[in-house]
Amino acid sequence: MMDRRKDQEPAERWREASEREADLIRQAQEGDRQAFEALLRLHEQYVFAIIGSFLRRKQDAEDLAQDIFLKAYLAIRRFRLGAPFAPWLRRITVNTCYDHLRKTRRRSEITFTDLGESERDLTHILAEQGSPSIRTDIGDQVAARDLAERILADLAPKDRLVITLREVHGLEIAEIADAIGCSRAAAKVRLWRARRAMQAWLQRLIRQEEDTASREGRNE
Amino acid sequence: MTCRDVKQLLRRENVEGPACADDSALALHLKSCRRCSEALKVVRLSSALLQSLRTEGGGPGPAFYLRLQGRLTDAELVQPDMSLLHALGLARQLIPVLAMGVLLLAGVTLSIGGSRSLLPDQVRGGTDVYAFSLDEVNLPGVVGEPNRDQMLAFVLRQDDVLGPESVRATDRSAVRPRSGRQVE
């Protein structure tokens, strides 16, 4: 009896939350901006998490979030009541991020010799031990992010989006396809291509690192 | 452990787990196989770099929503009247219906007008052609279809005035239908 009541509680809570969300959407569609703000507050963490994987400066992230929420406000009247709101907002977020990536894309050829001493060390440590080795050190985290951004900047913006949504945010292929507006097969192909491109980059770096290490070993 | 096993292991993206780290068979294979060792490093590095992009607890600042409300007000001022847009949208939806109605009306008109203009009084040869032409060209005063007497009177009158040869010529010209009146 108690177990059944325990099972019902989350379902009840979920139903209440979705009813509240539907009410807020209805009010926002009628032009209630306070309701729209309340609706955004329910989803802001997720939106900022997606933006945060492309933009590091808080001010830049907030500017992009403003654009996203403005687009959502202008389009909310066309939102079909009863449809899930989160994927709709995610689509707007991803599309806005995509536009931003397209505008700011800078391709850069990275070689191992371009990396600083700390980045070289980090590359070595990460390759040997994986990500748990840097979780505590903020300096390493920043350096890792620098390197990741430099490598991802070379990918096509859509490929970069796909690999970030999959590997960083853990979205399913169907969700990615819905977010970027393509078929599942196309999303899979993009993901495979992005992974391969990134791994080719890293393979080159690792080989250069090994060559450098062996050369230094010979000199000594 | 073989290279194929390592490949499968990497495909499962389970390279950071303790099972993988403690796998002595894997460690033994990696010592002897440079290719697999490199592949493992690439996967580890790739995974670690991507994880560094994950941001946690990054919400908006305190003035964020105040600024957003300002932008929403600006956007509403710039935006055209929604009721007008709505009406235009409805009108746009009605365009196909209106176009279909116009085409339908045009078709009906054409079919009615067409039956009137195409051979309204079809006269099927011989005497009838002659009678029709007399009616149209030479007997303007006759209302409706001329009877035989009226036609005979006309022929005789022509014969009296011009002689039989000219009557024949008149007949020929009279028989020729006017343009626009097709005779089957």
Side-chain angles (χ1 to χ4, degrees):
Chain A
M1 191 69 183
M2 282 292 283
D3 284 348
R4 196 181 295 166
R5 195 173 299 162
K6 267 184 191 170
D7 287 345
Q8 281 172 349
E9 271 176 11
E12 187 70 21
R13 243 180 287 139
W14 182 84
R15 198 175 58 79
E16 276 174 18
S18 61
E19 275 175 9
R20 179 173 146 67
E21 188 179 89
D23 281 344
L24 289 174
I25 293 169
R26 207 173 296 117
Q27 287 166 21
Q29 284 180 329
E30 286 162 7
D32 185 343
R33 280 192 274 160
Q34 295 307 317
F36 182 68
E37 187 181 319
L39 187 63
L40 294 182
R41 282 183 191 277
L42 294 177
H43 298 275
E44 66 181 19
Q45 288 293 330
Y46 189 59
V47 171
F48 272 86
I50 292 180
I51 299 172
S53 49
F54 300 108
L55 292 172
R56 210 181 319 180
R57 278 188 59 221
K58 191 167 182 174
Q59 189 55 50
D60 294 342
E62 284 198 0
D63 286 347
L64 201 62
Q66 291 262 335
D67 290 347
I68 290 164
F69 291 163
L70 186 63
K71 277 184 191 174
Y73 181 71
L74 296 177
I76 190 109
R77 285 183 179 89
R78 293 197 299 272
F79 178 78
R80 190 167 47 82
L81 266 177
F85 185 76
W88 183 77
L89 189 60
R90 184 170 58 209
R91 223 165 14 240
I92 296 176
T93 306
V94 168
N95 281 332
T96 313
C97 287
Y98 173 62
D99 289 342
H100 175 80
L101 289 177
R102 263 195 331 180
K103 273 186 229 158
T104 58
R105 187 182 181 195
R106 282 190 305 269
R107 300 186 72 155
S108 58
E109 186 88 5
I110 312 170
T111 59
F112 189 69
T113 47
D114 294 335
L115 302 181
E117 190 72 30
S118 60
E119 281 178 317
R120 287 181 192 192
D121 290 344
L122 181 78
T123 307
H124 180 76
I125 293 167
L126 288 179
E128 294 297 332
Q129 297 166 26
S131 62
S133 52
I134 61 154
R135 273 183 195 147
T136 48
D137 192 327
I138 292 178
D140 281 354
Q141 283 176 10
V142 172
R145 181 160 182 153
D146 272 343
L147 191 57
E149 282 179 358
R150 284 170 75 177
I151 291 168
L152 289 175
D154 195 56
L155 301 182
K158 229 170 213 174
D159 293 354
R160 184 177 173 179
L161 262 180
V162 170
I163 198 169
T164 310
L165 291 175
R166 174 71 182 160
E167 306 290 349
V168 180
H169 300 285
L171 261 64
E172 296 294 326
I173 291 290
E175 291 174 319
I176 295 170
D178 176 59
I180 64 169
C182 68
S183 67
R184 284 183 192 196
K188 259 187 189 175
V189 168
R190 282 196 177 277
L191 180 62
W192 179 80
R193 206 162 55 189
R195 269 184 187 152
R196 202 181 56 164
M198 189 170 179
Q199 289 180 358
W201 263 110
L202 296 174
Q203 195 171 35
R204 235 176 359 249
L205 278 183
I206 287 169
R207 280 184 187 166
Q208 286 168 355
E209 185 219 346
E210 283 172 355
D211 287 348
T212 313
S214 65
R215 231 178 294 133
E216 281 170 359
R218 268 204 304 272
N219 289 342
E220 279 168 14
Chain B
M1 186 170 262
T2 62
C3 292
R4 184 182 284 183
D5 296 333
V6 177
K7 215 173 187 180
Q8 279 179 351
L9 192 70
L10 295 181
R11 204 170 285 161
R12 272 187 266 131
E13 298 175 36
N14 195 21
V15 287
E16 286 184 82
C20 177
D22 297 340
D23 194 335
S24 53
L26 175 67
L28 204 65
H29 178 80
L30 291 177
K31 265 186 189 168
S32 59
C33 180
R34 195 176 168 219
R35 192 185 243 183
C36 287
S37 166
E38 190 182 89
L40 181 67
K41 279 181 185 175
V42 165
V43 171
R44 274 185 178 153
L45 188 54
S46 161
S47 167
L49 292 179
L50 287 168
Q51 291 311 307
S52 73
L53 296 173
R54 188 169 288 168
T55 52
E56 283 162 16
F64 179 80
Y65 282 104
L66 209 64
R67 205 172 123 218
L68 181 67
Q69 290 292 351
R71 284 192 74 184
L72 296 185
T73 310
D74 292 347
E76 270 183 351
L77 290 175
V78 172
Q79 244 197 339
D81 186 11
M82 285 311 287
S83 58
L84 182 67
L85 275 181
H86 190 66
L88 282 174
L90 275 180
R92 207 174 58 182
Q93 281 175 357
L94 283 176
I95 286 174
V97 179
L98 286 172
M100 209 188 293
V102 167
L103 284 175
L104 205 65
L105 276 174
V108 169
T109 312
L110 274 176
S111 77
I112 293 169
S115 70
R116 198 174 278 166
S117 65
L118 283 174
L119 306 177
D121 307 305
Q122 289 190 5
V123 183
R124 294 181 188 279
T127 316
D128 289 339
V129 173
Y130 189 62
F132 168 74
S133 302
L134 284 175
D135 176 24
E136 286 285 307
V137 181
N138 300 315
L139 297 173
V142 176
V143 179
E145 199 174 313
N147 57 33
R148 280 178 182 274
D149 292 338
Q150 285 170 324
M151 284 194 284
L152 194 60
F154 168 76
V155 172
L156 289 174
R157 196 164 59 244
Q158 294 296 319
D159 201 17
D160 286 344
V161 177
L162 303 170
E165 287 300 316
S166 63
V167 169
R168 254 175 243 128
T170 310
D171 291 346
R172 276 198 295 277
S173 69
V175 166
R176 195 182 306 133
R178 281 192 309 189
S179 61
R181 292 249 175 170
Q182 297 291 321
V183 178
E184 214 175 57

